[in-house]
Amino acid sequence: MIVILVGMPGSGKSTAGRQLARRLNQPFIDSDAVIEERMGMPIRAYFDAHGEAAFRDLEQQTLADLCQGADCVLATGGGSVLRPENRDMLKSHGVVMYLRASPDQLYRRLKNDTKRPLLQVADPLQALRDLYAQRDPLYRDTAHYVIETGRPSLAMLVNKILMQI
Ligand code: S3P
């Protein structure tokens, strides 16, 4: 079984995913890390050089490849649910968990971030609110389970996810 984590940037997909993989004794794969390897550069540099659409094409191809691969815990990039093809693919190839957090919570975790191109704007909190408004329905549409991240410890969050599997 592939356990797929979706959610906004800063929702804890990579951190929780790593722990979850340890608990399930499965490999952990971060799709952004695979994409960066394929691009040969950091995501932000790729966005600057080639634009978002080119990144989304590579993201779609990478997700398709990973969905065909071995069982693992897969953390996806926050924009992985934007394309309907991706939503269908993720839903049909694994158990999808939406790690939900509010824009305010996400902002507190991400305010010093310099890696995420979509947040390098004058008002990142507003950018998070806009992204959240657009994407929350898409994450819900993709996920089999919604996990409220709130303020629990990482161990509690991982337990919450494990209870749904
Ligand atoms: C993106 C989120 C990033 C990364 C890229 C685009 C997005 O992943 O895929 O910068 O559109 O929200 P994280 O969710 O791991 O930050």
Side-chain angles (χ1 to χ4, degrees), residues 10 52 96 99 117 125 132 146 161:
E52 182 172 349
V96 185
L99 301 193
L125 175 57
Y132 180 87
V146 179
I161 300 172

Side-chain angles (χ1 to χ4, degrees), residues 7-9 13 32 43 47 55-56 59 76-79 116-118 135:
M8 290 280 290
K13 293 165 292 187
D32 279 341
I43 288 176
F47 257 65
F55 171 78
R56 296 296 173 205
E59 180 175 57
T76 60
R116 293 167 170 93
L118 297 179
R135 293 178 179 179

Side-chain angles (χ1 to χ4, degrees), residues 41-57:
M41 66 178 90
I43 288 176
R44 195 176 163 186
Y46 192 86
F47 257 65
D48 289 345
H50 304 282
E52 182 172 349
F55 171 78
R56 296 296 173 205
D57 288 342

Side-chain angles (χ1 to χ4, degrees), residues 6 10-12 16 97-103 105-106 109 132 136 139-140 143 145-161 163-164:
V6 301
S11 59
M97 310 274 173
Y98 168 26
L99 301 193
R100 201 203 72 86
S102 70
Q105 288 167 329
L106 297 167
R109 295 181 200 158
Y132 180 87
D136 178 66
Y139 294 130
R140 288 178 190 278
Y145 301 100
V146 179
I147 311 285
E148 293 293 335
T149 62
R151 282 180 157 268
S153 69
L154 181 59
M156 277 165 65
L157 179 60
V158 170
N159 282 338
K160 264 195 193 181
I161 300 172
M163 279 192 302
Q164 304 297 343

Side-chain angles (χ1 to χ4, degrees), residues 5-21:
L5 304 181
V6 301
M8 290 280 290
S11 59
K13 293 165 292 187
S14 302
T15 317
R18 232 172 250 119
Q19 288 277 341
L20 187 61

